[in-house]
Amino acid sequence: FKHWEKFECCWKAGHFHINRIWEVRVDPVRFAPLELDSSEQYDLLPLFEGNRLLDSWPNLSGQPQSGLPVGDFMYLSPGAIVGNQRGVNCFRQSVSSKIEILEVSVRGSQWFLINCLEIYDCLDQKKSSITRFRNSSRVMKFENLHLLGSHIGPGAIFKIPELARTNIFCKSQV
């Protein structure tokens, strides 16, 4: 997990609390990313916007990019993380109702894609610095990203609507 650089501070019952939010992502420079066997399989990646996919999930297959070590997780695309049994068990124990575990075949062994289902509309528009695509409301990038803790529900792993295809966040209890 890479620590999200911004965090929210709030007062509760007279005590100071820091709610840490982490961005869940895999480093494709240090660890082997997953390369799918056919280019058509990449057409599925835009579907990862909080949609349930289990009932229509096809057989995905691929292999780790050569030359890099294989970790417990492999990068596939922004917002799509593939993990082995050990890696995915971490998510199953803490957030099982907020994710789907979708099977992926990697060199004939069983791996799993983590599909985050929870989306919270918690972006603080006033404090965040946002660059949008020209003639669109879609977000290109954030210089500063601030989330409103009061708008984040009980789910420990979540996405925000503005980055539903690309970023997964989690609270510190995961």
Side-chain angles (χ1 to χ4, degrees):
F1 296 124
K2 179 183 182 237
H3 186 266
W4 181 50
E5 295 177 7
K6 304 295 178 191
F7 51 87
E8 179 185 347
C9 302
C10 62
W11 289 95
K12 290 185 181 175
H15 295 89
F16 187 70
H17 292 270
I18 297 176
N19 296 320
R20 293 187 182 195
I21 303 295
W22 300 75
E23 182 179 358
V24 181
R25 102 172 110 164
V26 180
D27 185 349
V29 175
R30 292 181 48 218
F31 296 98
L34 178 64
E35 294 179 348
L36 295 177
D37 289 338
S38 74
S39 60
E40 293 84 33
Q41 293 179 344
Y42 287 97
D43 294 339
L44 297 169
L45 301 179
L47 300 176
F48 295 99
E49 295 181 329
N51 302 312
R52 289 196 176 275
L53 302 172
L54 187 60
D55 293 337
S56 60
W57 188 245
N59 293 328
L60 285 188
S61 61
Q63 54 206 0
Q65 186 179 49
S66 62
L68 293 171
V70 176
D72 289 330
F73 294 96
M74 284 190 271
Y75 174 88
L76 178 56
S77 78
I81 296 171
V82 176
N84 62 19
Q85 187 70 51
R86 186 175 85 169
V88 170
N89 280 342
C90 298
F91 284 92
R92 277 193 176 128
Q93 293 168 3
S94 24
V95 294
S96 62
S97 65
K98 306 300 179 193
I99 60 173
E100 278 185 325
I101 306 295
L102 307 168
E103 289 188 32
V104 178
S105 176
V106 177
R107 276 197 245 155
S109 63
Q110 193 175 39
W111 282 63
F112 305 92
L113 192 140
I114 299 166
N115 181 24
C116 178
L117 302 174
E118 196 75 61
I119 297 180
Y120 295 131
D121 190 6
C122 59
L123 179 67
D124 186 336
Q125 299 277 350
K126 293 178 183 174
K127 290 184 179 178
S128 297
S129 299
I130 305 168
T131 302
R132 297 188 186 276
F133 287 101
R134 187 185 316 220
N135 301 323
S136 173
S137 62
R138 286 186 40 230
V139 172
M140 180 186 302
K141 67 178 181 173
F142 285 95
E143 295 299 327
N144 291 304
L145 177 62
H146 291 265
L147 303 179
L148 298 167
S150 60
H151 291 69
I152 299 174
I157 185 169
F158 63 95
K159 293 182 173 188
I160 62 174
E162 295 81 3
L163 299 172
R165 284 188 185 180
T166 57
N167 294 66
I168 301 172
F169 300 96
C170 69
K171 295 180 188 178
S172 58
Q173 70 257 33
V174 173

